[in-house]
Amino acid sequence: MEALFRRGRFLVAGCVLFTVSFLAFVLSQARYYESQIVFFVKSDRAPIEVSPYQTSAAAPEAPDESRLGTEIQLLLSQDLHREVIQDLRGGAAAAKLSDVEWSKALRDFEANLKIVPVPKTNLIRVSFRAQDRSKAQETLRDLSARYLNYHLKLHGSGGAYEFFSEQAHLFQDKLAKAQEELTTFEQQ
Protein backbone atom coordinates (compact mmCIF):
# COMPACT_ATOMS: atom_id res chain seq x y z
CA MET A 1 0.00 0.00 0.00
CA GLU A 2 2.86 2.36 0.79
CA ALA A 3 4.25 1.90 -2.73
CA LEU A 4 0.90 3.02 -4.15
CA PHE A 5 1.00 6.25 -2.09
CA ARG A 6 4.54 6.98 -3.31
CA ARG A 7 3.42 6.59 -6.90
CA GLY A 8 0.36 8.69 -6.09
CA ARG A 9 2.60 11.49 -4.85
CA PHE A 10 4.55 11.38 -8.12
CA LEU A 11 1.29 11.38 -10.04
CA VAL A 12 -0.05 14.40 -8.11
CA ALA A 13 3.30 16.21 -8.45
CA GLY A 14 3.28 15.51 -12.21
CA CYS A 15 -0.27 16.84 -12.56
CA VAL A 16 0.58 19.98 -10.60
CA LEU A 17 3.74 20.52 -12.66
CA PHE A 18 1.78 20.06 -15.90
CA THR A 19 -0.96 22.48 -14.78
CA VAL A 20 1.53 25.14 -13.70
CA SER A 21 3.53 24.86 -16.94
CA PHE A 22 0.32 25.00 -19.02
CA LEU A 23 -0.85 28.13 -17.19
CA ALA A 24 2.57 29.75 -17.65
CA PHE A 25 2.42 28.99 -21.37
CA VAL A 26 -1.11 30.39 -21.77
CA LEU A 27 -0.31 33.56 -19.83
CA SER A 28 2.89 34.17 -21.79
CA GLN A 29 1.08 34.13 -25.16
CA ALA A 30 0.23 37.48 -26.72
CA ARG A 31 -3.45 38.40 -26.91
CA TYR A 32 -4.97 38.91 -30.31
CA TYR A 33 -8.10 40.78 -31.27
CA GLU A 34 -10.04 39.93 -34.38
CA SER A 35 -12.34 42.33 -36.21
CA GLN A 36 -14.75 41.21 -38.89
CA ILE A 37 -16.67 42.83 -41.70
CA VAL A 38 -19.09 41.25 -44.15
CA PHE A 39 -19.55 42.37 -47.75
CA PHE A 40 -22.72 41.68 -49.70
CA VAL A 41 -22.04 40.99 -53.37
CA LYS A 42 -25.01 42.27 -55.32
CA SER A 43 -25.99 40.41 -58.42
CA ASP A 44 -26.29 42.30 -61.71
CA ARG A 45 -29.48 40.47 -62.58
CA ALA A 46 -32.71 42.40 -62.79
CA PRO A 47 -35.01 41.84 -59.84
CA ILE A 48 -37.90 39.44 -60.30
CA GLU A 49 -41.19 41.23 -60.89
CA VAL A 50 -43.91 40.50 -58.40
CA SER A 51 -47.47 41.09 -59.47
CA PRO A 52 -50.89 39.94 -58.30
CA TYR A 53 -51.17 37.87 -61.48
CA GLN A 54 -48.13 35.71 -60.86
CA THR A 55 -49.25 32.17 -60.14
CA SER A 56 -46.06 30.49 -58.95
CA ALA A 57 -43.62 31.57 -56.30
CA ALA A 58 -40.23 32.68 -57.57
CA ALA A 59 -37.28 30.57 -56.55
CA PRO A 60 -34.63 32.32 -54.47
CA GLU A 61 -31.66 33.49 -56.46
CA ALA A 62 -28.61 31.22 -56.21
CA PRO A 63 -25.28 32.76 -55.23
CA ASP A 64 -23.14 33.81 -58.17
CA GLU A 65 -19.89 31.90 -57.52
CA SER A 66 -17.92 33.59 -60.32
CA ARG A 67 -18.88 37.04 -59.06
CA LEU A 68 -17.91 36.07 -55.49
CA GLY A 69 -14.59 34.77 -56.81
CA THR A 70 -13.94 38.04 -58.62
CA GLU A 71 -14.64 40.09 -55.51
CA ILE A 72 -12.48 37.82 -53.36
CA GLN A 73 -9.60 38.20 -55.82
CA LEU A 74 -10.06 41.95 -55.64
CA LEU A 75 -9.88 41.79 -51.84
CA LEU A 76 -6.73 39.63 -52.10
CA SER A 77 -5.00 42.10 -54.42
CA GLN A 78 -1.50 42.99 -53.25
CA ASP A 79 -1.93 46.50 -54.63
CA LEU A 80 -4.89 46.97 -52.29
CA HIS A 81 -2.88 45.53 -49.39
CA ARG A 82 0.08 47.81 -50.14
CA GLU A 83 -2.17 50.88 -50.03
CA VAL A 84 -3.67 49.81 -46.70
CA ILE A 85 -0.21 49.19 -45.22
CA GLN A 86 0.97 52.54 -46.53
CA ASP A 87 -2.00 54.30 -44.91
CA LEU A 88 -1.52 52.54 -41.59
CA ARG A 89 2.21 53.24 -41.42
CA GLY A 90 1.90 56.79 -42.65
CA GLY A 91 2.85 57.74 -46.18
CA ALA A 92 6.36 59.01 -45.38
CA ALA A 93 7.34 56.06 -43.18
CA ALA A 94 6.07 53.52 -45.70
CA ALA A 95 7.93 55.23 -48.56
CA LYS A 96 11.24 54.54 -46.79
CA LEU A 97 10.68 50.76 -46.68
CA SER A 98 13.04 48.59 -48.68
CA ASP A 99 11.81 45.75 -50.89
CA VAL A 100 12.61 43.20 -48.17
CA GLU A 101 10.71 45.23 -45.57
CA TRP A 102 7.74 45.59 -47.94
CA SER A 103 7.62 41.86 -48.57
CA LYS A 104 7.76 41.18 -44.81
CA ALA A 105 5.02 43.75 -44.17
CA LEU A 106 2.85 42.19 -46.89
CA ARG A 107 3.50 38.68 -45.56
CA ASP A 108 2.57 39.75 -42.00
CA PHE A 109 -0.52 41.60 -43.23
CA GLU A 110 -1.73 38.66 -45.32
CA ALA A 111 -1.06 36.20 -42.48
CA ASN A 112 -3.48 38.14 -40.27
CA LEU A 113 -6.07 38.71 -43.01
CA LYS A 114 -8.73 36.08 -43.61
CA ILE A 115 -11.19 36.31 -46.53
CA VAL A 116 -13.82 33.60 -46.93
CA PRO A 117 -17.14 33.38 -48.73
CA VAL A 118 -20.13 32.56 -46.53
CA PRO A 119 -21.52 29.25 -47.89
CA LYS A 120 -24.70 29.40 -49.99
CA THR A 121 -24.91 33.21 -49.84
CA ASN A 122 -23.65 36.27 -51.69
CA LEU A 123 -21.62 37.33 -48.65
CA ILE A 124 -17.87 37.58 -48.11
CA ARG A 125 -16.54 37.60 -44.54
CA VAL A 126 -13.28 39.46 -44.01
CA SER A 127 -11.47 39.34 -40.69
CA PHE A 128 -8.20 40.82 -39.49
CA ARG A 129 -6.24 39.81 -36.40
CA ALA A 130 -3.97 42.19 -34.47
CA GLN A 131 -2.55 42.59 -30.99
CA ASP A 132 -4.32 45.94 -30.63
CA ARG A 133 -8.11 46.14 -30.93
CA SER A 134 -8.09 49.60 -32.52
CA LYS A 135 -5.47 48.53 -35.09
CA ALA A 136 -7.63 45.58 -36.15
CA GLN A 137 -10.67 47.84 -36.55
CA GLU A 138 -8.75 50.61 -38.33
CA THR A 139 -7.19 48.11 -40.72
CA LEU A 140 -10.55 46.69 -41.74
CA ARG A 141 -12.06 50.16 -42.03
CA ASP A 142 -9.27 51.25 -44.39
CA LEU A 143 -9.38 47.96 -46.32
CA SER A 144 -13.14 48.25 -46.83
CA ALA A 145 -12.94 51.87 -48.01
CA ARG A 146 -10.17 51.06 -50.47
CA TYR A 147 -11.92 47.89 -51.64
CA LEU A 148 -15.12 49.81 -52.36
CA ASN A 149 -13.15 52.35 -54.41
CA TYR A 150 -11.48 49.53 -56.37
CA HIS A 151 -14.88 47.90 -56.84
CA LEU A 152 -16.40 51.11 -58.21
CA LYS A 153 -13.51 51.63 -60.61
CA LEU A 154 -13.70 48.04 -61.82
CA HIS A 155 -17.47 47.54 -62.04
CA GLY A 156 -18.76 51.08 -62.43
CA SER A 157 -19.87 52.21 -65.83
CA GLY A 158 -17.11 53.84 -67.84
CA GLY A 159 -16.32 57.25 -66.44
CA ALA A 160 -19.19 57.30 -63.92
CA TYR A 161 -16.88 57.39 -60.92
CA GLU A 162 -14.82 60.23 -62.37
CA PHE A 163 -17.96 62.09 -63.44
CA PHE A 164 -19.56 62.02 -60.00
CA SER A 165 -16.28 62.82 -58.29
CA GLU A 166 -15.84 65.83 -60.59
CA GLN A 167 -19.43 66.92 -59.98
CA ALA A 168 -18.94 66.70 -56.21
CA HIS A 169 -15.85 68.94 -56.43
CA LEU A 170 -17.69 71.37 -58.69
CA PHE A 171 -20.58 71.71 -56.24
CA GLN A 172 -18.17 72.09 -53.32
CA ASP A 173 -16.54 74.99 -55.16
CA LYS A 174 -19.94 76.56 -55.91
CA LEU A 175 -20.95 76.21 -52.27
CA ALA A 176 -17.73 77.86 -51.08
CA LYS A 177 -18.23 80.72 -53.55
CA ALA A 178 -21.85 81.21 -52.48
CA GLN A 179 -20.81 81.26 -48.82
CA GLU A 180 -18.18 83.90 -49.57
CA GLU A 181 -20.75 86.03 -51.41
CA LEU A 182 -23.16 85.68 -48.51
CA THR A 183 -20.47 86.75 -46.05
CA THR A 184 -19.56 89.83 -48.11
CA PHE A 185 -23.26 90.71 -48.51
CA GLU A 186 -23.82 90.46 -44.74
CA GLN A 187 -20.79 92.68 -44.08
CA GLN A 188 -22.12 95.47 -46.33
Side-chain angles (χ1 to χ4, degrees), residues 39-48 59-71 121-124 147 151 155:
F39 293 102
F40 174 69
V41 179
K42 186 177 176 186
S43 176
D44 288 337
R45 295 181 192 168
I48 298 172
E61 189 176 313
D64 187 358
E65 299 294 329
S66 64
R67 182 70 182 250
L68 279 174
T70 301
E71 297 303 319
T121 66
N122 284 335
L123 301 174
I124 300 172
Y147 159 72
H151 175 85
H155 298 297

Side-chain angles (χ1 to χ4, degrees), residues 6 16 32-33 60-62 75 80 90 93-94 113 146 163 176 188:
R6 285 186 201 158
V16 168
Y32 284 96
Y33 296 94
E61 189 176 313
L75 281 163
L80 179 67
L113 182 67
R146 292 198 169 276
F163 171 75
Q188 291 178 356

Side-chain angles (χ1 to χ4, degrees), residues 74-89 101-115 126-130 135-144 146-147:
L74 190 58
L75 281 163
L76 290 170
S77 164
Q78 283 196 349
D79 292 336
L80 179 67
H81 298 173
R82 281 182 185 272
E83 288 183 16
V84 172
I85 292 168
Q86 193 168 4
D87 278 353
L88 295 175
R89 291 188 175 213
E101 291 171 324
W102 263 114
S103 62
K104 183 185 179 324
L106 275 170
R107 192 172 46 252
D108 291 345
F109 181 84
E110 290 170 354
N112 291 313
L113 182 67
K114 186 175 170 185
I115 301 171
V126 180
S127 59
F128 189 79
R129 206 175 73 146
K135 181 180 179 191
Q137 292 172 346
E138 182 182 354
T139 302
L140 277 186
R141 197 174 302 121
D142 193 35
L143 178 73
S144 67
R146 292 198 169 276
Y147 159 72

Side-chain angles (χ1 to χ4, degrees), residues 7-27:
R7 288 185 186 160
R9 289 180 192 159
F10 285 122
L11 185 62
V12 169
C15 287
V16 168
L17 180 64
F18 174 77
T19 304
V20 168
S21 62
F22 180 74
L23 284 173
F25 172 75
V26 168
L27 293 175

Side-chain angles (χ1 to χ4, degrees), residues 45-51 54 56-62:
R45 295 181 192 168
I48 298 172
E49 278 189 41
V50 178
S51 72
Q54 190 171 2
S56 63
E61 189 176 313

